[in-house]
Amino acid sequence: MMATPTAPARRLAVSLLGSVLLSGCHATTPAHQNPTSTPPAIADSRTVATQPAATGPGLTPSQRLTALADTVTATPGDTTTALTYLHTQSWTSATNAITRTDLRQWRRDTDGSGQEAIRRLPDLPGLNHQPERHESALFTQAPETTTEHLSGGLHPYLPEPLPDDAPTLAAMLAPRELANEPAYPRLLANGVVALATTQYLNQAQRATSLRVLAAIPGITYRGQSADIVGRAGLTFTITADGSTSELLVNPDSGEILAAHERLSGRRPGLFSAVLILERGHTTDAGTTLRP
């Protein structure tokens, strides 16, 4: 993911979707869902009149995510335009080390031009690392490199406008021909994370992406928790194809706050982790959403 220093957003998406041929599927199947040899159906739940609260008791993971999708609230960025602004911090496995990157990106969605500001901490040897709170704060002490991109230099993960129904979006994130492969749940989850880390998702798009997550085979709910910078959310996990991915979702806005993936097998350890710290729209490159 960190192979090309001038395009960190695309590296993140590629890394999150990499290693799909890992051997040894470890998929889990919750009690409410039986294994199937046919492609799982992704239901568009907006026809359901009433949904229980996403944090209510007794819900399956799919029901919880569907309830959240039906009730996501708007954010300030949903009603503004101009430059798309994203601020992420990522930890990514290289050959024998963990790379650490802070990325702020401003992109003009009309032509793909914009600016990126990157800070990097020294690589950590080995792969068995868990990101810690103090690391996030250390990025402010690292030197910053700014790159200007001409028209076409910055690209979203998927072209806009995104489809407003879950089945179509899921097909764009992971080919349906792979639905019987061990990697399929992982591809869907990582595709949703890649979307959230490379482009702004408005209220409707966040709801659609949550419906994609709701249909992932074997997804589980781990309760409420917080990321390393203290933001609380609902935790969902997907174990498949020799990896376990964990996503932290804001229970009000439906935004993905953080995600990380760990590998098992011959080389266990951290595969990738990301914090989505800010997202929205600004009027000028270099302008942030908060001081």
Side-chain angles (χ1 to χ4, degrees):
M1 176 172 90
M2 309 305 296
T4 308
T6 59
R10 293 189 295 277
R11 292 199 310 273
L12 175 60
V14 171
S15 177
L16 286 168
L17 291 175
S19 301
V20 299
L21 298 180
L22 287 175
S23 60
C25 173
H26 296 276
T28 59
T29 304
H32 70 278
Q33 183 177 34
N34 295 322
T36 177
S37 59
T38 58
I42 298 180
D44 193 336
S45 63
R46 285 173 292 181
T47 58
V48 178
T50 304
Q51 288 289 344
T55 55
L59 301 180
T60 66
S62 178
Q63 290 171 336
R64 203 174 296 279
L65 282 161
T66 298
L68 177 56
D70 289 341
T71 57
V72 292
T73 59
T75 62
D78 294 340
T79 56
T80 58
T81 54
L83 290 165
T84 291
Y85 172 64
L86 293 168
H87 180 196
T88 62
Q89 291 177 348
S90 61
W91 289 253
T92 309
S93 63
T95 304
N96 290 299
I98 299 294
T99 62
R100 301 178 289 176
T101 305
D102 180 285
L103 168 66
R104 290 182 295 149
Q105 182 189 88
W106 297 262
R107 183 179 66 240
R108 294 178 183 87
D109 295 329
T110 54
D111 65 358
S113 65
Q115 177 179 301
E116 290 180 317
I118 303 170
R119 298 178 187 268
R120 294 194 58 171
L121 295 176
D123 293 351
L124 296 173
L127 301 179
N128 192 21
H129 177 70
Q130 181 68 28
E132 299 177 356
R133 183 182 183 91
H134 76 277
E135 291 180 77
S136 180
L138 286 176
F139 281 110
T140 59
Q141 304 172 25
E144 183 177 87
T145 300
T146 301
T147 303
E148 298 289 339
H149 294 272
L150 300 178
S151 178
L154 296 174
H155 303 277
Y157 186 67
L158 291 179
E160 294 279 1
L162 294 176
D164 60 2
D165 65 284
T168 304
L169 180 59
M172 297 175 70
L173 296 174
R176 297 291 285 169
E177 307 87 79
L178 300 179
N180 294 324
E181 298 297 324
Y184 185 70
R186 183 186 186 196
L187 286 174
L188 281 178
N190 289 345
V192 171
V193 174
L195 275 179
T197 53
T198 59
Q199 60 199 95
Y200 185 85
L201 300 181
N202 62 31
Q203 185 178 12
Q205 292 167 339
R206 294 194 300 273
T208 302
S209 65
L210 291 173
R211 293 185 180 100
V212 172
L213 291 177
I216 292 179
I219 192 167
T220 60
Y221 175 62
R222 299 297 186 187
Q224 301 185 49
S225 60
D227 62 14
I228 62 173
V229 293
R231 299 175 300 172
L234 308 183
T235 305
F236 297 88
T237 62
I238 301 95
T239 300
D241 193 39
S243 81
T244 298
S245 300
E246 183 173 291
L247 284 66
L248 186 70
V249 182
N250 185 305
D252 297 316
S253 66
E255 296 170 297
I256 295 177
L257 303 175
H260 73 260
E261 180 179 8
R262 298 189 69 86
L263 300 181
S264 55
R266 290 179 298 176
R267 297 193 67 201
L270 180 69
F271 181 68
S272 64
V274 62
L275 298 174
I276 307 174
L277 298 174
E278 297 176 275
R279 81 210 84 197
H281 296 97
T282 62
T283 56
D284 301 294
T287 301
T288 62
L289 300 182
R290 62 187 181 189

